[in-house]
Amino acid sequence: MSRKISMKQAINEALDLEMRRDPTVIVMGEDIVGGTGAQGEDDAWGGVLGVTKGLYAKHGDRLMDTPLSESAYIGAAIGAAACGLRPVAELMFLDFMGVCFDQIFNQAAKFRYMFGGKAETPVVIRGMVGAGFRAAAQHSQMLTPLFTHIPGLKVVCPSNAYDAKGLLIQSIRDNDPVIFCEHKNLYGLECEVPAESYAIPFGEANVLRDGDDVTIVSYGLTVHRAMEAATALAKDGTEAEVIDLRTLSPIDWDTIVESVERTGRLVVVDEAHPRCNLATDIAAFVGQNAFGALKAGIQMVTAPHTPVPFAPSLEDLYVPSADSIASAVRRTLSPKGASPRIAA
Amino acid sequence: MAQNPFPLGKDELLKAYRTMRTIREFEERLHVDFAKGDIPGFVHLYAGEEACATGIMMHLNDNDRIASTHRGHGHCIAKGVDVHAMMAEIYGRSTGACRGKGGSMHIADLSKGMMGANGILGAGAPLICGAALAAKVRGDRGVGITFVGDGASNQGTFLESLNLAAVWNLPVVFVVENNGYAESTAMEWAVSCDSYVDRATGFGMPGVTVDGTDFFAVYEAAGEIIRRARDGGGPALLECNMVRFYGHFEGDAQTYRAKGELEAIRASRDCLTILSERVIEAGVIGRDELQAIDREVNALIEDAVRAAKAAPLPVADDLLRDVYVSY
Ligand SMILES: Cc1ncc(C[n+]2csc(CCOP(=O)(O)OP(=O)(O)O)c2C)c(N)n1
Ligand SMILES: [Mg+2]
């Protein structure tokens, strides 16, 4: 059975299903239940935006509120994972990773390799990413490139409810540490999602739209902007292929390269800052492995090299728009190929 | 006129009242305008907690530094940040204290010694150790005050800073603003020790707990430990027990509170009422004098909102400006 639910509900459902299936799955985070120790209602929050609401009623103490001590509880989730549990730890906004990054990149990410392949750390660290919420510089970042830089971490960033559910289930079952990035501006977006359990394998991009003229690669919120751009371009007779990466580590190089070999043109869209991000990574890979197929310079559309501004008038300029993506596509189609453009 | 039994003269008492009233009016206006949909983003109100910021800041000058929290409007106003610039910031206008780039959670005015509200819990504590270190190196008798909520007092950064400040004998005061909740989670549950005084003792510094809704209690306790820090006596911790009149942020339904709790704290623990009653009863200030201040404050906030709404928005060029220092 399938019905329309939001990405927020899909995440809730994935947690519920995995907790039912596997008693070693526990969920922890700040106010993920809410009202702990207070005299009012239990389960008062269900997370700051209500993603885990209702799970406490079903699973009781396997949902744990934490003190505001990310180093300690994220580290504890990692330690518990190394000792046989499958913790899902919520880090409300992934921007807060600054205070607990050591536990993630020096500990969780290293165990397997550093201990000679003898350790498994099946932890999921999930939290919000992305701009557009008027949440300002410390609650809006797309820090995915920080995570993809670290060997040993898997990095997931779904663009819709269906993918979120299947990818979160896969993340919980995966035996490596997974950073699960939830774009806060996609929480309310609904699509058809089966009620039953299913897992989406890592490293399989989703081709959302076929096209022979240009390949647009993205992930998360900007996938939707890319689709809007593709629809607009189709009116002028340009058919774009749109690839949603879904997982950033591992990444589906094959699908990207096969597409570019057919279209000869590539636009990569990344909500992260322009330096050393997914866009530069993919551009470099294609430049190295599919140079012969390229008919024009690769275009990258990213956020600018600035912190996320608070003022709505500026934040609206910050996130890559459908217009900027369509313009980038047109640059790849111009007779001279792409004219050089220096990222801000 | 009766003899003044308070540790401050009449002018200073009026100033304290004006500061507290300005914070209250500012926050209540935001509460109303947020509900109307006029204000973008996250807004955490300081209403109910005014006596704490005011009682402490009365001892500071522009050379003293403070590091604030996500609930920073009260700290800003008490430290002398311009109310018009604050309101414009919250509205995302180019006339804002941070030119619209920071928003409610990041208001700063370095010229006033206000090192910023902060979106990261506990982040102010190490920074204020740095501010105090700078004052110590310069020998200018400046002090640093960091504010931290009961919830954020469990951050590693905060606990490390207590130790660092003690080891380096820095002129720092750690103010724990204990309003009983971190978002929806009770302080009694989340903080393992019985009292913050015990924590301070464990880190080798004096700790004091006061009723943070009593302006005079805060004022006197803060005065002593700030003086001690200024004189080279080292850091101290001040816990202010207080109450939050609104939700964690605007939009919070607060179902975690006990029934009747909000009504009860508003009735018995309103720091503005407590201060007014005391100065009026003592015969030092007349009710009409306070009412006159209320009217002036009301007009000030009204004007700040009007000006903010009329102010220009930041424009495209501003997006790329000020990432680095330009030469
Ligand atoms: C490092 C970090 N973790 C979590 C948060 C999210 N958060 C913002 S305010 C808050 C509660 C803070 O409670 P407390 O310190 O008691 O301050 P209060 O809100 O009561 O003034 C939380 C969890 C954050 N901003 N930064
Ligand atoms: Mg609190």
Side-chain angles (χ1 to χ4, degrees), chain A residues 228-300:
Chain A
E228 267 175 64
T231 307
L233 288 160
K235 293 194 186 113
D236 305 337
T238 300
E239 292 301 334
E241 183 142 305
V242 178
I243 298 176
D244 177 356
L245 292 169
R246 301 202 285 203
T247 69
L248 311 179
S249 272
I251 186 167
D252 185 353
W253 295 123
D254 290 349
T255 297
I256 299 169
V257 168
E258 278 160 25
S259 175
V260 175
E261 277 173 345
R262 193 157 27 75
T263 63
R265 296 182 174 87
L266 175 62
V267 174
V268 207
V269 186
D270 190 351
E271 196 189 311
H273 305 299
R275 300 285 317 282
C276 304
N277 61 7
L278 267 295
T280 59
D281 194 31
I282 291 166
F285 189 90
V286 169
Q288 193 165 27
N289 295 286
F291 186 74
L294 287 172
K295 298 175 195 155
I298 297 165
Q299 292 295 303
M300 292 183 261

XYZ file of all heavy atoms in Angstrom, chain A residues 228-300:
543
model
N 13.004 22.064 -12.116
C 12.315 23.268 -12.614
C 13.049 23.842 -13.815
O 12.434 24.229 -14.810
C 12.346 24.376 -11.540
C 11.164 24.442 -10.619
C 11.435 25.510 -9.553
O 11.566 26.702 -9.908
O 11.560 25.133 -8.366
N 14.371 23.889 -13.699
C 15.174 24.416 -14.803
C 14.977 23.549 -16.047
O 14.821 24.058 -17.171
C 16.651 24.463 -14.407
N 14.958 22.228 -15.842
C 14.810 21.310 -16.980
C 13.467 21.530 -17.675
O 13.383 21.522 -18.914
C 14.944 19.863 -16.499
N 12.421 21.745 -16.882
C 11.096 21.988 -17.462
C 11.117 23.276 -18.290
O 10.589 23.328 -19.406
C 10.041 22.095 -16.332
O 10.149 20.937 -15.515
C 8.638 22.202 -16.886
N 11.752 24.306 -17.743
C 11.822 25.583 -18.464
C 12.628 25.419 -19.758
O 12.238 25.926 -20.819
C 12.455 26.646 -17.573
N 13.734 24.683 -19.675
C 14.596 24.508 -20.850
C 13.887 23.709 -21.944
O 14.098 23.952 -23.144
C 15.890 23.789 -20.445
C 16.871 24.624 -19.614
C 17.847 23.719 -18.859
C 17.625 25.613 -20.504
N 13.034 22.770 -21.515
C 12.332 21.933 -22.500
C 11.458 22.792 -23.415
O 11.259 22.475 -24.589
C 11.499 20.876 -21.784
N 10.966 23.883 -22.883
C 10.129 24.788 -23.694
C 10.922 25.378 -24.855
O 10.364 25.729 -25.890
C 9.562 25.917 -22.829
C 8.567 25.384 -21.813
C 7.734 26.491 -21.186
C 6.865 25.920 -20.088
N 7.231 26.392 -18.745
N 12.251 25.507 -24.654
C 13.107 26.013 -25.740
C 13.720 24.865 -26.534
O 14.661 25.070 -27.308
C 14.267 26.851 -25.171
C 13.773 27.975 -24.297
O 12.607 28.386 -24.461
O 14.555 28.435 -23.432
N 13.261 23.636 -26.262
C 13.755 22.498 -27.032
C 15.021 21.856 -26.513
O 15.632 21.033 -27.191
N 15.459 22.233 -25.305
C 16.644 21.591 -24.729
C 16.202 20.526 -23.737
O 15.455 20.817 -22.805
C 17.518 22.638 -23.999
O 17.911 23.631 -24.947
C 18.750 21.977 -23.380
N 16.657 19.294 -23.955
C 16.257 18.204 -23.060
C 17.398 17.876 -22.098
O 18.459 17.400 -22.505
C 15.873 16.972 -23.880
C 14.601 17.150 -24.705
C 13.364 17.484 -23.851
O 13.336 17.104 -22.652
O 12.439 18.133 -24.387
N 17.151 18.143 -20.835
C 18.179 17.883 -19.814
C 17.908 16.556 -19.122
O 16.773 16.214 -18.831
C 18.180 19.011 -18.790
N 18.981 15.830 -18.869
C 18.889 14.645 -18.018
C 19.203 15.100 -16.593
O 20.203 15.782 -16.380
C 19.921 13.615 -18.487
C 19.872 12.311 -17.732
C 20.119 11.127 -18.673
O 19.378 11.005 -19.683
O 21.062 10.366 -18.419
N 18.342 14.752 -15.647
C 18.560 15.208 -14.274
C 18.861 14.003 -13.386
O 18.074 13.063 -13.300
C 17.345 15.991 -13.737
C 17.582 16.406 -12.281
C 17.081 17.223 -14.599
N 20.023 14.061 -12.746
C 20.462 12.955 -11.881
C 20.462 13.409 -10.429
O 21.085 14.407 -10.074
C 21.876 12.481 -12.281
C 21.854 11.943 -13.723
C 22.398 11.425 -11.308
C 23.224 11.543 -14.249
N 19.739 12.659 -9.609
C 19.716 12.903 -8.158
C 20.667 11.896 -7.522
O 20.432 10.686 -7.554
C 18.273 12.695 -7.664
C 18.141 12.858 -6.150
O 19.170 13.059 -5.462
O 16.991 12.769 -5.661
N 21.733 12.388 -6.913
C 22.775 11.486 -6.404
C 22.303 10.585 -5.259
O 22.769 9.465 -5.106
C 23.984 12.297 -5.926
C 24.775 13.002 -7.015
C 25.767 13.973 -6.385
C 25.503 11.988 -7.892
N 21.441 11.102 -4.424
C 20.913 10.399 -3.235
C 21.990 10.071 -2.187
O 21.831 10.371 -1.023
C 20.159 9.111 -3.610
C 18.986 9.364 -4.522
C 17.986 8.245 -4.445
N 18.434 7.045 -5.136
C 17.589 6.112 -5.583
N 16.286 6.232 -5.379
N 18.042 5.062 -6.219
N 23.067 9.416 -2.577
C 24.163 9.226 -1.616
C 25.419 9.864 -2.198
O 25.690 9.784 -3.387
C 24.427 7.736 -1.289
O 24.972 7.085 -2.426
C 23.151 7.027 -0.875
N 26.172 10.538 -1.321
C 27.347 11.297 -1.761
C 28.627 10.514 -1.486
O 29.648 10.705 -2.127
C 27.378 12.644 -1.042
C 26.040 13.413 -1.074
C 26.146 14.725 -0.312
C 25.596 13.664 -2.512
N 28.570 9.651 -0.477
C 29.626 8.671 -0.206
C 28.935 7.399 0.215
O 28.287 7.417 1.256
C 30.522 9.093 0.965
O 31.576 9.869 0.575
N 28.965 6.337 -0.561
C 29.583 6.262 -1.883
C 28.781 7.059 -2.913
O 27.630 7.372 -2.684
C 29.513 4.761 -2.182
C 28.331 4.264 -1.414
C 28.290 5.089 -0.163
N 29.424 7.347 -4.034
C 28.781 8.130 -5.086
C 28.717 7.283 -6.361
O 29.620 6.489 -6.633
C 29.544 9.460 -5.288
C 28.833 10.373 -6.264
C 30.980 9.214 -5.707
C 29.387 11.812 -6.254
N 27.669 7.468 -7.113
C 27.433 6.646 -8.303
C 28.125 7.272 -9.522
O 27.510 7.933 -10.348
C 25.916 6.542 -8.523
C 25.554 5.613 -9.673
O 26.478 5.148 -10.380
O 24.353 5.373 -9.851
N 29.446 7.054 -9.627
C 30.211 7.635 -10.741
C 29.691 7.118 -12.086
O 29.649 7.860 -13.066
C 31.700 7.294 -10.630
C 32.411 7.869 -9.446
C 33.089 7.181 -8.489
C 32.554 9.260 -9.100
N 33.636 8.039 -7.562
C 33.328 9.323 -7.914
C 32.113 10.456 -9.672
C 33.666 10.525 -7.298
C 32.436 11.650 -9.064
C 33.205 11.673 -7.888
N 29.332 5.832 -12.143
C 28.958 5.219 -13.426
C 27.788 5.941 -14.088
O 27.828 6.247 -15.282
C 28.574 3.744 -13.222
C 29.802 2.904 -12.877
O 30.924 3.435 -13.008
O 29.629 1.743 -12.461
N 26.751 6.186 -13.280
C 25.567 6.840 -13.854
C 25.918 8.230 -14.392
O 25.463 8.639 -15.461
C 24.445 6.912 -12.790
O 24.085 5.576 -12.452
C 23.232 7.663 -13.299
N 26.768 8.947 -13.664
C 27.149 10.298 -14.095
C 27.924 10.217 -15.413
O 27.613 10.907 -16.396
C 28.024 11.000 -13.023
C 27.261 11.133 -11.706
C 28.501 12.360 -13.520
C 28.126 11.573 -10.521
N 28.931 9.361 -15.432
C 29.809 9.291 -16.605
C 29.038 8.783 -17.840
O 29.160 9.353 -18.936
C 31.047 8.421 -16.309
C 31.810 8.108 -17.594
C 31.960 9.133 -15.312
N 28.208 7.756 -17.619
C 27.422 7.251 -18.764
C 26.549 8.337 -19.351
O 26.414 8.479 -20.575
C 26.533 6.069 -18.323
C 27.284 4.749 -18.292
C 26.585 3.704 -17.418
O 25.344 3.815 -17.231
O 27.284 2.811 -16.911
N 25.946 9.135 -18.478
C 25.062 10.199 -18.956
C 25.854 11.251 -19.736
O 25.464 11.665 -20.833
C 24.336 10.838 -17.767
O 23.570 11.930 -18.209
N 26.991 11.676 -19.179
C 27.784 12.717 -19.845
C 28.322 12.199 -21.183
O 28.420 12.944 -22.157
C 28.934 13.202 -18.933
C 29.832 14.190 -19.669
C 28.383 13.852 -17.670
N 28.644 10.920 -21.232
C 29.134 10.368 -22.502
C 28.071 10.468 -23.585
O 28.375 10.607 -24.766
C 29.608 8.924 -22.302
C 31.037 8.934 -21.750
C 31.569 7.570 -21.354
O 30.766 6.628 -21.217
O 32.800 7.479 -21.159
N 26.824 10.443 -23.175
C 25.729 10.557 -24.138
C 25.407 12.028 -24.453
O 25.227 12.412 -25.590
C 24.494 9.852 -23.576
C 23.376 9.619 -24.551
C 22.470 8.464 -24.114
N 22.452 8.272 -22.672
C 21.803 9.079 -21.821
N 21.108 10.095 -22.273
N 21.846 8.845 -20.524
N 25.350 12.885 -23.415
C 24.918 14.278 -23.639
C 26.084 15.194 -24.016
O 25.886 16.205 -24.685
C 24.271 14.862 -22.368
O 25.260 14.895 -21.322
C 23.080 14.023 -21.920
N 27.276 14.908 -23.543
C 28.445 15.744 -23.847
C 28.503 17.040 -23.050
O 29.408 17.850 -23.236
N 27.525 17.257 -22.186
C 27.506 18.513 -21.415
C 27.133 18.221 -19.976
O 26.260 17.396 -19.711
C 26.497 19.495 -22.001
C 26.848 19.940 -23.406
C 25.857 20.953 -23.932
N 26.321 21.451 -25.222
C 26.051 20.858 -26.377
N 25.289 19.769 -26.406
N 26.529 21.361 -27.501
N 27.791 18.954 -19.054
C 27.541 18.690 -17.631
C 27.382 19.986 -16.836
O 28.209 20.896 -16.937
C 28.712 17.875 -17.044
C 28.655 17.609 -15.537
C 27.435 16.776 -15.149
C 29.948 16.926 -15.072
N 26.311 20.031 -16.077
C 26.109 21.103 -15.089
C 25.946 20.420 -13.731
O 25.103 19.532 -13.592
C 24.851 21.938 -15.421
C 24.567 22.951 -14.312
C 25.026 22.648 -16.764
N 26.784 20.805 -12.770
C 26.679 20.212 -11.434
C 26.171 21.279 -10.475
O 26.691 22.396 -10.451
C 28.033 19.678 -10.915
C 27.789 18.545 -9.939
C 28.914 19.213 -12.050
N 25.156 20.930 -9.714
C 24.526 21.898 -8.807
C 24.697 21.424 -7.376
O 24.362 20.289 -7.043
C 23.014 22.036 -9.117
C 22.411 23.155 -8.270
C 22.788 22.270 -10.604
N 25.251 22.323 -6.540
C 25.558 21.964 -5.153
C 25.214 23.147 -4.265
O 25.648 24.263 -4.530
C 27.061 21.632 -5.066
C 27.456 21.008 -3.737
O 26.619 20.980 -2.811
O 28.615 20.550 -3.632
N 24.429 22.903 -3.205
C 24.089 24.001 -2.291
C 25.245 24.353 -1.364
O 25.187 25.331 -0.615
C 22.839 23.618 -1.472
C 22.188 24.817 -0.801
C 21.081 24.442 0.185
O 20.195 23.637 -0.176
O 21.110 24.978 1.310
N 26.316 23.574 -1.395
C 27.475 23.872 -0.548
C 28.272 25.042 -1.130
O 28.010 25.504 -2.238
C 28.353 22.634 -0.422
N 29.257 25.512 -0.380
C 30.130 26.579 -0.861
C 30.921 26.079 -2.071
O 31.117 24.880 -2.233
C 31.083 27.009 0.254
C 30.382 27.406 1.512
N 29.500 28.453 1.564
C 30.411 26.881 2.753
C 29.016 28.558 2.792
N 29.545 27.618 3.531
N 31.425 27.008 -2.911
C 31.980 26.595 -4.199
C 33.327 25.864 -4.162
O 33.653 25.157 -5.103
C 32.121 27.921 -4.958
C 32.159 28.975 -3.915
C 31.327 28.467 -2.780
N 34.095 26.025 -3.091
C 35.430 25.421 -3.091
C 35.390 23.998 -2.551
O 34.854 23.749 -1.483
C 36.387 26.261 -2.226
C 36.559 27.710 -2.679
C 37.422 27.823 -3.913
N 38.592 26.953 -3.842
C 39.686 27.241 -3.137
N 39.779 28.360 -2.476
N 40.699 26.398 -3.104
N 36.019 23.066 -3.256
C 36.184 21.694 -2.771
C 34.862 21.080 -2.311
O 34.741 20.588 -1.189
C 37.195 21.639 -1.625
S 38.776 22.333 -2.051
N 33.866 21.145 -3.152
C 32.550 20.609 -2.790
C 32.189 19.443 -3.711
O 33.036 18.942 -4.460
C 31.508 21.730 -2.869
C 31.397 22.299 -4.274
O 31.998 21.782 -5.219
N 30.623 23.351 -4.422
N 30.942 19.018 -3.703
C 30.536 17.917 -4.577
C 30.632 18.312 -6.048
O 30.964 17.487 -6.909
C 29.108 17.488 -4.230
C 28.952 16.345 -3.218
C 29.515 15.054 -3.785
C 29.612 16.643 -1.880
N 30.333 19.577 -6.330
C 30.381 20.030 -7.723
C 31.805 19.967 -8.264
O 32.039 19.454 -9.370
C 29.819 21.450 -7.838
N 32.766 20.454 -7.501
C 34.153 20.425 -7.991
C 34.640 18.977 -8.094
O 35.382 18.617 -9.010
C 35.102 21.219 -7.073
O 35.058 20.660 -5.757
C 34.733 22.689 -7.008
N 34.193 18.174 -7.167
C 34.596 16.771 -7.135
C 34.105 16.051 -8.403
O 34.867 15.344 -9.089
C 33.946 16.157 -5.884
C 34.518 14.803 -5.515
O 35.706 14.574 -5.784
O 33.766 13.994 -4.938
N 32.830 16.262 -8.702
C 32.241 15.584 -9.863
C 32.825 16.153 -11.161
O 33.133 15.405 -12.101
C 30.705 15.713 -9.817
C 30.171 14.884 -8.642
C 30.065 15.286 -11.131
C 28.732 15.179 -8.259
N 33.013 17.462 -11.187
C 33.595 18.072 -12.387
C 34.985 17.504 -12.649
O 35.349 17.183 -13.790
C 33.654 19.593 -12.215
N 35.757 17.364 -11.580
C 37.116 16.833 -11.746
C 37.078 15.381 -12.228
O 37.845 14.991 -13.118
C 37.865 16.921 -10.416
N 36.192 14.617 -11.659
C 36.114 13.205 -12.038
C 35.735 13.057 -13.508
O 36.336 12.283 -14.261
C 35.094 12.471 -11.145
C 35.112 10.986 -11.337
C 35.943 10.181 -10.566
C 34.324 10.373 -12.312
C 35.979 8.798 -10.738
C 34.354 8.995 -12.502
C 35.189 8.209 -11.710
N 34.741 13.853 -13.923
C 34.303 13.778 -15.322
C 35.404 14.309 -16.236
O 35.684 13.738 -17.293
C 32.969 14.536 -15.507
C 32.636 14.710 -16.983
C 31.842 13.785 -14.788
N 36.064 15.384 -15.804
C 37.165 15.928 -16.606
C 38.254 14.889 -16.821
O 38.849 14.792 -17.903
N 38.508 14.103 -15.807
C 39.573 13.113 -15.891
C 39.149 11.854 -16.665
O 39.951 11.270 -17.380
C 39.987 12.714 -14.472
C 41.278 11.942 -14.406
C 41.827 11.908 -12.970
O 41.079 11.994 -12.013
N 43.120 11.799 -12.845
N 37.866 11.489 -16.503
C 37.435 10.188 -17.033
C 36.560 10.240 -18.277
O 36.312 9.204 -18.888
C 36.718 9.397 -15.932
C 37.661 9.059 -14.792
O 38.515 8.193 -14.917
N 37.543 9.792 -13.698
N 36.040 11.417 -18.594
C 35.159 11.490 -19.766
C 35.466 12.735 -20.588
O 34.587 13.299 -21.238
C 33.692 11.487 -19.316
N 36.730 13.159 -20.555
C 37.113 14.402 -21.229
C 36.730 14.375 -22.702
O 36.216 15.343 -23.249
C 38.616 14.625 -21.069
C 39.069 15.952 -21.603
C 38.793 17.114 -20.904
C 39.760 16.032 -22.817
C 39.196 18.347 -21.393
C 40.164 17.266 -23.313
C 39.882 18.427 -22.603
N 36.970 13.236 -23.323
C 36.717 13.106 -24.755
C 35.261 13.313 -25.123
O 34.950 13.722 -26.247
N 34.374 13.059 -24.191
C 32.948 13.170 -24.506
C 32.442 14.609 -24.393
O 31.379 14.941 -24.914
C 32.140 12.271 -23.565
N 33.212 15.464 -23.717
C 32.703 16.815 -23.423
C 32.702 17.721 -24.657
O 33.709 17.846 -25.348
C 33.539 17.458 -22.315
C 33.328 16.896 -20.902
C 34.357 17.489 -19.937
C 31.904 17.163 -20.407
N 31.534 18.352 -24.886
C 31.436 19.304 -25.998
C 31.575 20.738 -25.506
O 31.596 21.678 -26.291
C 30.070 19.154 -26.669
C 29.828 17.780 -27.278
C 28.396 17.709 -27.801
C 27.999 16.275 -28.075
N 26.555 16.089 -28.005
N 31.578 20.915 -24.208
C 31.671 22.263 -23.631
C 32.253 22.154 -22.239
O 32.247 21.075 -21.637
C 30.280 22.896 -23.555
N 32.744 23.286 -21.737
C 33.276 23.299 -20.369
C 32.187 22.933 -19.374
O 31.017 23.242 -19.576
N 32.595 22.276 -18.323
C 31.633 21.894 -17.276
C 31.233 23.141 -16.498
O 32.070 23.992 -16.202
C 32.281 20.853 -16.329
C 32.627 19.582 -17.109
C 31.382 20.563 -15.137
C 33.570 18.643 -16.373
N 29.959 23.245 -16.169
C 29.472 24.379 -15.376
C 29.117 23.931 -13.972
O 28.536 22.853 -13.784
C 28.230 24.985 -16.038
C 28.541 25.665 -17.360
C 29.434 26.881 -17.159
O 29.091 27.803 -16.421
N 30.591 26.884 -17.813
N 29.467 24.789 -13.000
C 29.099 24.491 -11.612
C 28.204 25.600 -11.089
O 28.491 26.779 -11.282
C 30.356 24.397 -10.761
C 31.208 23.195 -11.116
S 32.636 23.073 -10.049
C 33.877 23.791 -11.105
